Amino acid sequence: MSLAEGRIPVLDIGPARAGAPGAAEDLAARIARTCEDTGFLVIAGHGIDPALPAACFEAAARFFALPEEDKLALRIGEYNIGYLPTGAQVIRTSKVAEVKQPNLNESFYIIRDYPPDHPAILEKRPFVAPNRWPPHLPGFREATLAYFTAMEALAQRLLPAVSMALGMPPDHLARDFRDPTCTLRLIRYQPQPAPEAGRFGFAPHIDTNLLTFLAQSALPGLEVRTAEGDWIRPPAIPGTFVVNTAEMLGRYSNGRFTPTPHRVLNQNDAMRYAIPFFFGPDNDAVIRPVPSCISAENPCRFEPLLYEDHRRMLNLRNFAHRQPQPAEA
């Protein structure tokens, strides 16, 4: 395992954000190059106040320090909202490894924060429900939602460059991201100084949304598998975000941008915290390869996919609380 020079580039998106001549086209070209290789990049010049991820990391640490009974009172139900204890997720849908052991982490999921009387809640739309907030943790909701809001805005600012990287106009993907599915997942990884075979903080997998944004963690652990089979680490530059492409971008690109397997091994002697932000299409979006990625030499490889169906399948297969329980004797 190493950091392979240049395989995970550091891109300053500041000029493109400022509208500098040619900057958007240059950013799109560089995104395309890394999407055809590792599918991972690091962005600087993003404009996010560093106090926001810092406060979110601090909120995560305070939540996971709560007594176990307080956390279990917020345990996730039908949808992934709230607390997921250690041992409750096995990545059965992994396309890169046969995973049999649960991940060595505990998590807390936050989605878009609708009020109880919002039409989406009252109509019981799929994957929409109230967040499950810890009742006695001052500032937790405010810190995590401030970070959520900032990261959604950053993802939307990057979307035109991703459209251009696909060879399409800047606004092409926007029609599928009017009400994007966004999830903030707070994670605490248990120390694993002496790794066991087949046991990971997070088993090898690809993400299943469009893009994932990771604020730099204080401790190393994230590893990315290259096409050659080597495991490398993204550059750990304070104040930057690691961004990786996911399965839906692979479908939009007709297989041109293949999402890269990654894993987490916490070989530190301390708890490791992460706050990934997942950005995906609207639930009712139908994902199809874009015209620029289809040709006689590369015909369409994917059937249209309703994103809601995709999420439902993953939710049913990867989480212990959704598995059929054996009948009592």
Side-chain angles (χ1 to χ4, degrees):
M1 198 290 306
S2 65
L3 192 158
E5 187 67 30
R7 294 296 292 272
I8 299 178
V10 180
L11 305 184
D12 182 357
I13 67 172
R17 287 179 51 239
E25 291 79 6
D26 178 66
L27 177 61
R30 297 183 71 185
I31 289 174
R33 282 198 295 273
T34 194
C35 286
E36 290 172 340
D37 184 20
T38 65
F40 270 72
L41 54 98
V42 175
I43 58 171
H46 45 71
I48 300 293
D49 182 348
L52 292 174
C56 191
F57 273 118
E58 192 267 342
R62 288 195 296 126
F63 173 79
F64 291 120
L66 290 173
E68 194 68 15
E69 59 269 24
D70 291 356
K71 293 185 287 188
L72 288 173
L74 302 170
R75 188 165 182 160
I76 62 175
E78 181 182 3
Y79 300 133
N80 286 357
I81 303 169
Y83 178 61
L84 185 75
T86 302
Q89 183 179 22
V90 180
I91 307 298
R92 295 179 178 87
T93 56
S94 176
K95 299 178 180 179
V96 297
E98 184 180 3
V99 179
K100 297 181 179 179
Q101 297 280 358
N103 291 327
L104 281 171
N105 72 63
E106 55 183 323
S107 301
F108 188 82
Y109 292 84
I110 299 166
I111 64 168
R112 194 178 308 284
D113 198 43
Y114 291 115
D117 59 351
H118 190 279
I121 300 288
L122 298 177
E123 295 166 13
K124 297 183 178 180
R125 295 179 194 168
F127 297 100
V128 176
N131 278 308
R132 310 199 69 191
W133 299 111
H136 306 300
L137 207 59
F140 178 85
R141 180 177 185 173
E142 292 78 6
T144 54
L145 286 182
Y147 184 67
F148 185 111
T149 299
M151 296 313 296
E152 182 178 1
L154 175 60
Q156 289 284 14
R157 287 197 297 270
L158 205 58
L159 195 59
V162 176
S163 289
M164 294 168 67
L166 288 165
M168 299 300 293
D171 61 350
H172 180 81
L173 290 179
R175 62 189 179 187
D176 286 348
F177 291 82
R178 296 185 178 97
D179 184 22
T181 56
C182 299
T183 300
L184 172 60
R185 183 174 182 176
L186 314 180
I187 308 177
R188 182 167 77 168
Y189 292 99
Q190 287 80 9
Q192 197 182 4
E196 314 167 39
R199 201 80 200 269
F200 301 90
F202 214 112
H205 66 287
I206 59 172
D207 289 351
T208 57
N209 44 301
L210 183 89
L211 296 173
T212 302
F213 294 77
L214 286 147
Q216 294 280 0
S217 297
L219 298 174
L222 175 64
E223 298 177 357
V224 178
R225 195 182 75 182
T226 66
E228 297 79 16
D230 298 321
W231 289 97
I232 65 175
R233 286 182 179 165
I237 303 172
T240 62
F241 290 92
V242 178
V243 181
N244 65 272
T245 62
E247 190 173 0
M248 292 304 101
L249 188 55
R251 294 183 79 99
Y252 279 121
S253 70
N254 200 30
R256 176 185 167 199
F257 298 160
T258 303
T260 301
H262 50 288
R263 66 187 185 187
V264 175
L265 278 170
N266 182 19
Q267 294 181 261
N268 308 285
D269 289 321
M271 295 288 190
R272 179 181 185 270
Y273 296 88
I275 51 172
F277 180 83
F278 300 92
F279 181 70
D282 305 349
N283 271 327
D284 59 3
V286 178
I287 315 304
R288 298 179 175 89
V290 299
S292 57
C293 293
I294 300 172
S295 65
E297 296 75 26
N298 187 31
C300 186
R301 297 167 53 184
F302 299 98
E303 294 294 324
L305 175 68
L306 179 66
Y307 192 57
E308 179 187 313
D309 290 344
H310 171 72
R311 295 185 71 198
R312 184 174 289 109
M313 181 274 294
L314 295 170
N315 198 32
L316 287 171
R317 293 186 61 191
N318 284 338
F319 295 92
H321 69 286
R322 301 304 306 278
Q323 300 303 305
Q325 301 302 310
E328 293 185 7

